[in-house]
Amino acid sequence: MTEDTSVWGIADVSSGKGKSDENFPVGSVLISKQLRPHVHAYYAYARVIDDIADSTALSPTDKIARLDAMEEVLHGQRQPIDRADALSAARLRTSLLQTGVPFETATDLLIAFRDDSRGHVYESWEDLLHYCRYSANPVGRYLICLHGESPTAFGPSDALCTSLQILNHMQDCAGDLAQLHRCYIPAGLMRAAGATQDDLLAGRLSPAMRRVFNTMLDGVDALNRQAAALPAHVHDRRFRMECAAIVTLAERLTLRLRREDPLAGRVALRRTDAMHAAFAALRTWR
């Protein structure tokens, strides 16, 4: 195994983001205490590779080299150095070997983050769905496999994870463009509505950009309808409650983005949304 450490460089890739920056619970109390450390290991790894792709201190070439090194550590092909980012991959490798969860739930994420590092342009809704297949859907599949649930849950889980990812892109579209020079709003949808990327930096939604957002939210509504079936596919009671709560939060955030302007300020979930999610979770208790 190679022990070359030069690929890691000296750049700090931490974004400063944490669980408090997420819309949805990460390793919440509804996840069993026994499984929570594995969820935290997966989240820590995902946070690191996301930070690498978002780093302003690394070139695209350096980002991809660092992501490739993380994959080599995951597969046991490279020894991790004593740094948090490399060690997160080593810890997840140990977790995956212990639990038997497929390594693809971790390595598929790297496909999306390599695209982010290259500055990939999303032309169509289908392009965005393809990105979410790798950036978001592996997270749900990881949790399903970790809980020993049936693969029949993959379909509605994929729909939920894709919905959450697109909602997050819509919340953060102005910051992504201004700070990372990255745009997840499909270019074809903007052209069809008579909008441009400049509209995302205007501080308020133009009528044209509102049409784009409404079209995207129509697609998210369809995803949410598919995701609504997820709790029925989950046998573990606590995980089923978690799924029901997150499905409801996705639906509530979709409604908020219909009514509010994410360019004027971050559209965020509120206490009333959390209450609706709690009621939804309790209804699955059986």
Side-chain angles (χ1 to χ4, degrees):
M1 292 187 294
T2 179
E3 296 185 7
D4 173 40
T5 62
S6 61
V7 68
W8 303 107
I10 59 173
D12 178 14
V13 299
S14 175
S15 68
K17 295 178 182 177
K19 295 178 188 178
S20 61
D21 297 288
E22 304 293 332
N23 281 321
F24 305 96
V26 176
S28 79
V29 294
L30 288 176
I31 299 294
S32 73
K33 187 175 181 180
Q34 179 183 4
L35 296 181
R36 225 171 292 162
H38 296 291
V39 176
H40 291 162
Y42 187 83
Y43 174 82
Y45 161 84
R47 177 78 276 149
V48 166
I49 60 176
D50 191 17
D51 286 348
I52 290 171
D54 287 354
S55 173
T56 58
L58 297 173
S59 70
T61 299
D62 289 339
K63 291 177 182 181
I64 291 171
R66 184 92 58 103
L67 294 171
D68 288 347
M70 295 284 285
E71 184 166 19
E72 290 174 0
V73 172
L74 266 177
H75 287 304
Q77 299 166 343
R78 175 187 289 269
Q79 292 285 359
I81 64 171
D82 188 17
R83 277 182 41 158
D85 49 356
L87 291 176
S88 72
R91 283 193 294 269
L92 182 57
R93 170 178 168 79
T94 299
S95 172
L96 294 174
L97 290 172
Q98 288 175 347
T99 60
V101 174
F103 274 68
E104 287 80 4
T105 59
T107 56
D108 278 359
L109 294 174
L110 294 166
I111 296 172
F113 291 129
R114 289 187 184 102
D115 278 349
D116 283 342
S117 299
R118 297 183 185 101
H120 188 78
V121 175
Y122 301 93
E123 176 64 24
S124 66
W125 177 254
E126 289 71 27
D127 287 343
L128 187 56
L129 294 182
H130 183 266
Y131 170 78
C132 294
R133 173 185 174 186
Y134 296 102
S135 68
N137 297 1
V139 178
R141 291 186 174 221
Y142 169 82
L143 290 170
I144 288 166
C145 293
L146 182 66
H147 284 84
E149 299 291 345
S150 168
T152 60
F154 286 166
S157 172
D158 288 350
L160 176 60
C161 291
T162 295
S163 166
L164 300 181
Q165 181 74 89
I166 294 172
L167 291 169
N168 184 253
H169 289 330
M170 296 176 74
Q171 287 175 291
D172 296 340
C173 58
D176 284 341
L177 183 58
Q179 298 163 22
L180 302 174
H181 309 291
R182 191 181 297 161
C183 183
Y184 297 98
I185 310 302
L189 293 183
M190 287 194 285
R191 282 197 305 274
T196 69
Q197 287 188 7
D198 288 341
D199 291 329
L200 295 174
L201 304 176
R204 61 187 296 272
L205 280 174
S206 65
M209 192 56 73
R210 172 45 77 182
R211 289 194 293 274
V212 173
F213 271 44
N214 285 346
T215 298
M216 293 180 69
L217 290 169
D218 289 343
V220 171
D221 279 336
L223 291 167
N224 288 343
R225 287 192 291 271
Q226 296 175 49
L230 178 58
H233 289 273
V234 174
H235 293 91
D236 182 273
R237 178 184 290 170
R238 296 168 70 96
F239 185 39
R240 184 170 63 245
M241 293 175 70
E242 174 101 344
C243 292
I246 296 178
V247 167
T248 300
L249 291 174
E251 294 168 348
R252 300 289 296 182
L253 185 54
T254 304
L255 286 173
R256 291 208 175 276
L257 282 164
R258 288 272 190 196
R259 300 166 181 167
E260 301 176 32
D261 185 343
L263 303 188
R266 184 171 175 82
V267 176
L269 293 163
R270 301 178 186 174
R271 182 176 298 180
T272 54
D273 300 315
M275 291 174 60
H276 278 85
F279 289 139
L282 289 172
R283 283 197 296 269
T284 70
W285 181 271
R286 63 180 185 273

